[in-house]
Amino acid sequence: MIATLAIEAGDLPLGGGLLALVRPALLLLEPGGILAVRSSAASVVQDLPSWCRVERHRYLGYEDGRHLIERGSLGAPRGAREWGYRLKKPSAAEVVRAVPMPDTANADTGFAPRGARVEPGGPRYPFDLLERDRVAPPEVAQLYDQAVAAQWDVGRDIPWDTVGEHDPAIESAVCQVMTFLAENELSALYVPSRFIARIHPAYVETAMFLSTQLADEARHIDVFLRRARVAGGGLGVSSVTTSRSLLSLLEYEDFTEAAFVLSVLGEGTFLDLLRFVEEHAPDPATAEIARRTRNDESRHVHFGLAHVRHALSTDPTLFGRLEAAVRRRAATLHDVGGVPTPLQDSLTLLAAGSTEPRAVARGHEAFRALLEAMHAARIKRLDRAGFTAEQAELMSTLHTANFM
Ligand SMILES: [Fe+2]
Ligand SMILES: [Fe+2]
């Protein structure tokens, strides 16, 4: 009998360490594979055959000082063993190359990390996002690596001492904008968090990316609230328009629809808003806050676009469903007015830089131009996602006046 694997066990008794050599060796074999155990312990002659019976391995006998065991199939872990691949660079993107994501995931592998061999008989888990095409676009691990490297510190990285004293009307405007931003950031924290627990761990890189997004949003909430309070202005008004718009975001149950409406349309529109705040910020600290949060947002938009584009490329019926998702939301918000007035006025004053009437007229123009720029950029993003010009125009027009 030719053994496929052999181990040297010396005089180890079965209950004194022998199994720590035998069991791992058997795990390396497929059912039907043969293990040879060279042993000089007399007790093993009796003990090994009975252990094999209990564990449903076939004890084949003792020849030339070796016990031969045929590996049974009971409890054999599924999947091939991962051995011999050395990560060139320990990044998440490299891990995905080494251990690719499956097309569909098995709900009874639970929290077993992708690549682990899983014993049969485990319980089913309630994950319901089980298809790679709907969960994990090809660039997700790379986006996760970038997000980890790009984390920043609200206390250390903002030049807080540059805020200084502003005209109270301008400081009030900044505080109102910060209040609006923080409220919207709260929705950007809560909406993706609802999907993490539904993602199968075979696509853990998506859950990991979303967790960086949550950390980003937490930092954004923090930094906007600090800016509102750092010069004594405090928070402004929360509008019903904002409240209704953000509630409608919480109501999406489909991951792709939520990613589309939140990230492609909402966070996409925020890129223009934050650029506007940076451009018209009355002090370097406020400008830096807008610049840094915008950098983070562009990652969230990138992931949203990658997710949607990938899902659309594998399921053309999704175009219609995403359009319907936008229409549904617009219908629930049809009686909501335009951009919340406290925000309109604050953005106008921010761009004016003073309450001097001619400056305010310029601020008003800048605000109108912002709305047009947002519309144009949304259309461009929708075009990049693969929508027709007509669909893009319609969906951008139907997008909430709350921006998010
Ligand atoms: Fe954010
Ligand atoms: Fe975001």
Side-chain angles (χ1 to χ4, degrees):
M1 182 73 62
I2 295 173
T4 33
L5 203 62
I7 54 176
E8 296 293 332
D11 61 354
L12 282 173
L14 189 88
L18 176 66
L19 290 178
L21 296 178
V22 169
R23 280 190 296 233
L26 286 168
L27 275 181
L28 298 179
L29 294 175
E30 297 288 315
I34 308 292
L35 174 68
V37 181
R38 185 178 297 282
S39 164
S40 60
S43 62
V44 169
V45 177
Q46 287 241 309
D47 294 347
L48 198 53
S50 42
W51 180 82
C52 285
R53 257 195 312 282
V54 173
E55 297 294 322
R56 305 280 196 277
H57 300 302
R58 241 177 94 202
Y59 182 78
L60 302 174
Y62 185 58
E63 48 180 69
D64 306 329
R66 304 189 310 167
H67 300 276
L68 294 177
I69 302 172
E70 182 188 316
R71 201 241 185 280
S73 56
L74 185 77
R78 289 185 303 236
R81 186 162 175 247
E82 193 183 289
W83 181 259
Y85 186 95
R86 290 167 200 262
L87 292 179
K88 287 165 196 73
K89 205 175 116 199
S91 67
E94 174 74 13
V95 169
V96 172
R97 273 193 290 278
V99 189
M101 297 176 186
D103 291 342
T104 53
N106 193 340
D108 62 12
T109 59
F111 285 126
R114 187 175 73 245
R117 300 166 69 208
V118 181
E119 288 179 357
R124 282 187 77 77
Y125 275 58
F127 309 126
D128 65 353
L129 293 170
L130 303 171
E131 288 166 76
R132 189 186 56 191
D133 288 343
R134 302 305 297 274
V135 181
E139 52 273 70
V140 63
Q142 218 175 328
L143 286 170
Y144 167 77
D145 287 331
Q146 285 169 13
V148 169
Q151 297 296 301
W152 49 279
D153 182 318
V154 170
R156 192 192 53 210
D157 296 325
I158 302 298
W160 289 106
D161 53 355
T162 64
V163 170
E165 288 289 322
H166 302 302
D167 174 335
I170 299 302
E171 182 60 20
S172 266
V174 171
C175 292
Q176 178 58 54
V177 172
M178 294 297 142
T179 304
F180 172 82
L181 291 172
E183 183 167 3
N184 284 273
E185 293 293 346
L186 272 152
S187 80
L189 174 69
Y190 278 59
V191 171
S193 74
R194 300 178 65 233
F195 295 97
I196 290 181
R198 291 174 48 191
I199 296 172
H200 191 285
Y203 315 117
V204 68
E205 285 78 3
T206 297
M208 284 156 60
F209 176 82
L210 290 178
S211 74
T212 67
Q213 182 170 348
L214 301 191
D216 292 343
E217 308 303 12
R219 191 171 51 247
H220 298 174
I221 295 162
D222 182 15
V223 78
F224 293 142
L225 294 178
R226 282 206 222 183
R227 174 59 190 89
R229 291 175 172 133
V230 74
L235 299 192
V237 173
S238 157
S239 301
V240 171
T241 299
T242 300
S243 181
R244 287 191 50 190
S245 184
L246 299 183
L247 175 62
S248 69
L249 274 182
L250 267 186
E251 286 163 355
Y252 287 104
E253 293 300 326
D254 181 89
F255 184 33
T256 309
E257 288 178 15
F260 178 63
V261 178
L262 175 76
S263 296
V264 177
L265 294 175
E267 292 176 308
T269 302
F270 261 54
L271 293 180
D272 295 298
L273 178 60
L274 291 166
R275 189 191 281 114
F276 184 92
V277 173
E278 182 185 353
E279 216 173 284
H280 301 293
D283 54 73
T286 307
E288 185 64 2
I289 289 168
R291 189 188 71 79
R292 285 185 175 270
T293 52
R294 185 172 178 279
N295 269 349
D296 293 340
E297 290 310 333
S298 65
R299 243 183 353 259
H300 309 164
V301 174
H302 191 141
F303 174 72
L305 258 178
H307 174 165
V308 168
R309 210 170 31 219
H310 186 67
L312 285 169
S313 72
T314 57
D315 176 8
T317 69
L318 195 55
F319 283 102
R321 294 214 324 272
L322 293 180
E323 191 186 315
V326 172
R327 283 180 183 278
R328 245 180 11 252
R329 185 180 189 210
T332 67
L333 299 177
H334 78 278
D335 56 339
V336 167
V339 178
T341 49
L343 181 69
Q344 274 189 42
D345 299 340
S346 303
L347 292 174
T348 300
L349 286 179
L350 199 66
S354 84
T355 50
E356 194 274 313
R358 268 171 318 198
V360 175
R362 281 197 304 275
H364 182 75
E365 276 318 303
F367 174 70
R368 306 304 323 167
L370 169 65
L371 297 185
E372 279 166 31
M374 285 171 161
H375 179 58
R378 271 197 302 270
I379 288 180
K380 221 158 120 191
R381 256 173 244 117
L382 289 164
D383 175 69
R384 274 167 59 201
F387 289 95
T388 65
E390 238 166 69
Q391 283 172 315
E393 174 71 32
L394 175 82
M395 283 192 284
S396 177
T397 307
L398 287 177
H399 183 60
T400 172
N402 184 65
F403 305 150
M404 179 83 80

